[in-house]
Amino acid sequence: MAAKSGEQSAVEVLYRDLHPGVLAFATARVRTEGEDLAADVFVTMATALARFEGDERALRRWVFAIAYRKVGEAWRRARQRGTHPAPVDELGLRAPIGDVEAEALDGLSTSEALTAIARLGPPQSEVVLLRVVADLSVEEVATIVGKRPGAIRALQHRALIRLAQEFPGSMRNTEALPGHNWVDEPS
């Protein structure tokens, strides 16, 4: 991997590929610090990239694991300061959303979808964001958040049910939701 050797253009390609998803994840979880957290993620990535071992998929998982830890650190800092992030309904982020999101939230704008996902609460929203925005598998998300794959599937399934209830007309086939293939898929 050319980026490991510090090749500027290769690092820029990684940044352009991963930044929108990292920014969307960070902003949805910590609205007031999303930009700063995303920057921290890439500074951490750049300083540790030479030691990274793995393929492109492993790199994506590693970068989002860094983002997950940075979000956790931000929440701990906020608790220590006694401050709270701004209301989620002010979220105006427009980030690319994967096909999974299109299936679950047909007809909703990116902003509406991210706002609705953020209202789910930390466990469910983290799982949906890591599965959809980060495009990570169930097993990869389980490793990052420290839960079993079955728990990730259950959190994701409950999140979809809540989103379907909030936006009843936006789900293509709510009756088929419990067997929806991306909720139950093993990958």
Side-chain angles (χ1 to χ4, degrees), residues 2-126:
K4 285 182 66 166
S5 64
E7 186 178 314
Q8 181 78 19
S9 63
V11 174
E12 287 174 13
V13 168
L14 286 176
Y15 177 81
R16 281 194 305 270
D17 180 46
L18 296 170
H19 183 265
V22 169
L23 179 61
F25 176 76
T27 302
R29 299 301 306 132
V30 187
R31 183 195 164 301
T32 58
E33 297 181 42
E35 291 277 347
D36 292 339
L37 289 174
D40 286 348
V41 168
F42 287 99
V43 167
T44 301
M45 180 197 82
T47 58
L49 192 57
R51 295 184 308 272
F52 173 77
E53 295 293 328
D55 60 8
E56 288 181 40
R57 188 72 187 176
L59 177 73
R60 182 176 199 77
R61 182 175 51 248
W62 178 63
V63 169
F64 277 93
I66 294 169
Y68 180 80
R69 285 192 301 275
K70 295 289 184 186
V71 165
E73 291 168 5
W75 278 98
R76 282 188 291 283
R77 280 192 310 273
R79 275 196 304 270
Q80 289 171 348
R81 287 189 313 252
T83 60
H84 302 286
V88 174
D89 46 337
E90 294 177 11
L91 186 64
L93 180 65
R94 300 231 182 257
I97 299 298
D99 292 339
V100 175
E101 189 77 317
E103 286 291 321
L105 299 171
D106 186 31
L108 293 178
S109 73
T110 300
S111 178
E112 290 171 321
L114 287 174
T115 299
I117 290 168
R119 280 195 302 264
L120 292 172
Q124 290 179 354
S125 65
E126 286 171 351

